[in-house]
């Protein structure tokens, strides 16, 4: 099987894998099983599947739609989708490299261009997934705060509370943010965002560029992507990325104070999916928002 054949017959990939007709090399991944595939013509692909069959309904379709939508903007490098099946996704292989100040500056400018490509509304035209959890992409015209509260914060607050990952006081603090969210400002038109842009989803390639992977793309607030880049230790050269971004598209006053608000979504996803280990981070973000 070579790349031309695979493009013409993507549905045949599982059979070739089952019969060990393609060389596979395991690679590190998140909640999925991932490997590097080497085709007969020497082409490498990145393939991912769910650890057990079947995969959650719509998970890989959502990722494929996200990747294609981001890639269509022609702004930030995004791997090409080669195969998108219900239980298997195969993408263009990106050889990993190391970040530099020059690559960070280029990425910052490109991210601003991606966001400026915009979206018709908040949300997306396809059902979403983020990590192992469904993501409500129901579209809305705004205001952004109301949409963000109902589609990005409240669902994961409920799941986190139900599984005991947050205390009653934690829930009360986040509920106060939900009830007053329009007062935090930062209203903008929908931007075309990655939606899950923690540092692990920015892949620094050997080509000297920053690539977007594992998106939960939708029309959202551009500050969300910038805020989540600072999570979990922060992406290398974050100050350079933001500086270059602001040269292309200046941020509105008060953006730094809004960082914890935007981070709260992804932190609640983590308590909902992985439990109370992320509780202190949720509470710290909520307290920071309430102090702002």
């Amino acid at each position: 099987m070579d790349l031309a054949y695979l493009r013409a017959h993507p549905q045949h990939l599982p059979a070739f894998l089952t019969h060990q007709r393609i060389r596979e090399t395991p690679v590190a991944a998140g909640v999925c099983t991932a490997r590097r595939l080497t085709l007969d013509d020497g082409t490498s692909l990145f393939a991912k599947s769910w650890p057990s069959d079947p995969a959650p309904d719509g998970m890989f379709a959502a990722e494929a739609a996200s990747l294609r939508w981001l890639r269509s903007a022609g702004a930030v490098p995004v791997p090409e989708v080669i195969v998108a099946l219900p239980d298997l996704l195969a993408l263009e292989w990106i050889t990993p490299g190391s970040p530099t100040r020059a690559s960070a500056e280029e990425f910052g400018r490109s991210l601003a261009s991606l966001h400026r490509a915009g979206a018709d509304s908040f949300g997306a035209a396809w059902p979403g997934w983020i990590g192992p959890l469904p993501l409500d992409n129901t579209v809305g015209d705004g205001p952004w705060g109301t949409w963000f509260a109902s589609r990005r914060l409240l669902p994961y607050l409920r799941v986190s509370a139900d599984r005991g990952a947050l205390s009653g006081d934690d829930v009360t603090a986040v509920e106060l943010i939900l009830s007053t969210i329009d007062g935090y400002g930062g209203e903008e038109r929908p931007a075309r965002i990655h939606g899950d842009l923690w540092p692990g989803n920015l892949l620094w390639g050997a080509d000297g560029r920053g690539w977007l992977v594992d998106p939960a793309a939708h029309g959202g607030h551009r500050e969300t992507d910038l805020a989540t880049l600072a999570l979990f230790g922060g992406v290398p050269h974050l100050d350079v990325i933001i500086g270059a971004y602001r040269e292309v598209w200046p941020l509105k006053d008060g953006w730094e104070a809004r960082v914890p608000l935007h981070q709260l979504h992804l932190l609640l996803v983590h308590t909902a999916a992985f439990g109370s280990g992320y509780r202190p981070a949720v509470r710290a973000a909520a307290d920071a928002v309430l102090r702002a």
Side-chain angles (χ1 to χ4, degrees), residues 120-126 136-142 147 151:
D120 293 334
S121 58
F122 296 110
W126 54 88
D136 187 352
N137 275 342
T138 301
V139 298
D141 294 329
W147 181 87
R151 306 300 178 191

Side-chain angles (χ1 to χ4, degrees), residues 127-153:
W129 282 83
I130 186 163
L133 299 176
L135 182 70
D136 187 352
N137 275 342
T138 301
V139 298
D141 294 329
W144 169 78
T146 301
W147 181 87
F148 187 71
S150 63
R151 306 300 178 191
R152 291 296 179 264
L153 298 182

Side-chain angles (χ1 to χ4, degrees), residues 76-79 92-104 106-107 199-213 235-236:
V76 180
V78 178
E92 172 186 3
W93 175 263
I94 308 303
T95 301
S98 300
T100 64
R101 291 184 66 86
S103 59
E106 179 183 352
F107 175 74
N201 286 342
L202 172 53
L203 173 61
W204 299 103
D207 60 0
R209 299 189 294 170
W211 292 72
L212 295 181
V213 297
V235 73

Side-chain angles (χ1 to χ4, degrees), residues 40-201:
D40 291 340
D41 60 2
T43 299
S44 288
L45 301 176
F46 175 84
K48 61 193 302 186
S49 57
W50 195 244
S52 59
D53 290 331
D57 186 34
M59 171 182 279
F60 292 127
E63 182 170 347
S66 291
L67 288 164
R68 288 167 173 150
W69 188 57
L70 295 177
R71 185 179 169 89
S72 69
V76 180
V78 178
E80 180 186 358
V81 177
I82 307 298
V83 175
L85 301 175
D87 297 315
L88 178 65
L89 193 65
L91 312 175
E92 172 186 3
W93 175 263
I94 308 303
T95 301
S98 300
T100 64
R101 291 184 66 86
S103 59
E105 184 175 350
E106 179 183 352
F107 175 74
R109 290 193 296 264
S110 298
L111 185 63
S113 297
L114 172 69
H115 289 168
R116 269 191 157 162
D120 293 334
S121 58
F122 296 110
W126 54 88
W129 282 83
I130 186 163
L133 299 176
L135 182 70
D136 187 352
N137 275 342
T138 301
V139 298
D141 294 329
W144 169 78
T146 301
W147 181 87
F148 187 71
S150 63
R151 306 300 178 191
R152 291 296 179 264
L153 298 182
L154 182 58
Y156 304 104
L157 176 64
R158 287 173 172 164
V159 174
S160 298
D162 288 346
R163 69 173 303 181
L166 298 176
S167 71
D169 285 345
D170 300 331
V171 173
T172 298
V174 177
E175 287 178 337
L176 179 57
I177 293 170
L178 297 178
S179 67
T180 58
I181 195 165
D182 289 338
Y184 295 105
E187 290 297 333
E188 290 198 2
R189 66 181 186 275
R192 187 171 306 208
I193 71 170
H194 177 285
D196 188 14
L197 195 53
W198 69 284
N201 286 342

